[in-house]
Amino acid sequence: MSIAATAGHSSSSWRPPAPKPRDKIMSSLEMLYVVSRNPLEVWNKFHFTEKAVARRNIFGDVVVLMDPAGIRHVMVENVANYRKDDLQRRVLGATRAKGESLLTAEDELWRKTRRTVAPLFTPRRIAGFLPLMSAAAERLAAAWRRKPDGYPIDAALDMTRVTFDVLSSTLFSNGIDNGNDRFGNAMSRFLETTGRVDPLDIIGAPDWVPRIGRLRAQSTIDFFESSVASIIDTRRKAIEEGRQPPPDLLSALLQAADPESGQGLTDAEVAANIVTFIGAGHETTANTLTWALYLVSQADEVREELEAEVDGIDLGSLDAGDLFERLPFSRAVIEEAMRLYPPAPNLSRTAMEPDVAAGTIIPGGANVYMPPYVLHRHRLLWDEPDFFRPHRFMPGRRESIDRYAYLPFGAGPRICVASQFALMEAVIVLATLVKTARVVFSGESPPRAVQRITLRPAGGMPMRLYKRSNFT
Ligand code: HEM
């Protein structure tokens, strides 16, 4: 394949692939089928033009909110009236370790866990992780440099590897990577299982009704959870014996204490949070990077501007304090990738009591959806919503975006606890890879976005690697 033939498009005219919104409302049965195949295809045209859409179907009342003020009301002003909905709890909780984690806990347990875990992710604490993230990115870049021109890769797989590498060095100081493929494979299977929405979960079948997918993966899940438990056990003993523990997230979790009560986390809670960090932090960041690489490969002007930014900087000399200031366009590309393909494409809550948001009545017990995927492409909120326009996130323009129109990390008290960690990781990995090589999309047809809790390309992201010097 000649390099010229693989070049992208002019950024101004190219429209990134997305499912075509439906023209008509679906029946409940049709919806069940679509949701279990790809929930991203459930949205109608009017979801992208209305502020709120309320419906009653056989599963109960559903209100979809696309109005920033209405979302602020649910996520912040009247947050006490809303809980994580049952579907989300079922899907996320179905395979979790025995304890509750920050992601799944509610009420006082959530407050206590958040108070205990949030200090792990303050800018000061995570600043020390930048060199580890940079080193993981550099390891992948070095592997890319060794490949001949035109070498085929699945960028989705490579991004999963690099984010796994970042997690294993920041969580466990690389204590799990000694050729431990079994752990890595178990983790991938574990993530596959947690990511799938089972129709039985949608209709609210009780937990004792077996889910086939989960049964199949049970032994992998057991292996994965027992590996995590044994890593915790070894570390806990080392701390008790007075040995200096490595400065990673596992040590921090084992030593964390609720600032109000002074109480620490139980081993089961530490395990549940480790599993959650892996589940919530691995694929989300990998998908952000995969879509960002794809978008950049398709938009020549953006790619040139990005290459110019990263070429002018010694990435190794950056520290966490000036990363975003020195790489504003890299950050804008990541933010725009998360606008078009938000890794968490739907946020949902259940209303405890009746309420009103965006002028719409929310019945008690209703499921309230605030889907970033729809919100980020809403006709009333964005200029050129379906186009790849990273400049909208550059300093000076970004400030005019409504805080509640852009929710890749959610909002309010349950906002992603690790958003700055994730952003830092995505920016340094993207910058390192773009500086190293040019990746060219090589699929026969455009990638198809599917939602499996996170939003990923179906069947991966086929690309080819080329040396940058070939193009200059
Ligand atoms: C690009 C990467 C990421 C994205 C887009 C993302 C997105 C989100 C979103 C939208 C929520 C809120 C869900 C809701 O309100 O229902 C959330 C919560 C959470 N995220 Fe992330 N996340 C990312 C990376 C990470 C990483 C790297 C970690 C951990 C190392 C992490 C850990 C968590 C946890 C523990 C929560 C629950 C917080 C709580 O309920 O108090 N996330 N994330």
Side-chain angles (χ1 to χ4, degrees), residues 75 84 88 101-105 110 114 117 121 167 249 273 276-278 280-282 284-286 288 338 342-344 346-349 372 407-411 413-419 421-423 425-426:
M75 301 286 253
K84 294 240 167 175
Q88 201 181 140
S101 79
L102 184 58
L103 191 68
T104 52
W110 170 76
R114 181 91 191 190
V117 170
F121 292 99
L167 269 179
L249 285 168
N273 279 293
T276 290
F277 290 171
I278 295 172
H282 176 234
T284 42
T285 316
T288 302
M338 289 195 294
N346 197 8
L347 300 174
S348 49
R349 298 289 188 269
L407 299 179
F409 294 108
R414 298 209 72 149
I415 191 170
C416 179
V417 75
S419 59
F421 175 106
L423 212 48
E425 175 182 356

Side-chain angles (χ1 to χ4, degrees), residues 90 182-183 191 240 295 374 472:
R90 273 166 197 284
R182 207 172 154 217
F183 185 88
L191 292 168
E240 280 165 7
L295 288 163
V374 179
T472 47

Side-chain angles (χ1 to χ4, degrees), residues 20 37 128 152 300 343 347 401 423 452 455:
K20 193 167 170 288
R37 264 185 66 236
D300 289 341
L347 300 174
I401 297 171
L423 212 48
R452 296 258 180 275
L455 199 162

Side-chain angles (χ1 to χ4, degrees), residues 21 36 100 111 117 126 190 349 384 447 467:
S36 68
E100 285 278 1
R111 275 188 287 279
V117 170
I126 63 168
F190 168 81
R349 298 289 188 269
E384 301 189 292
K467 288 186 187 59

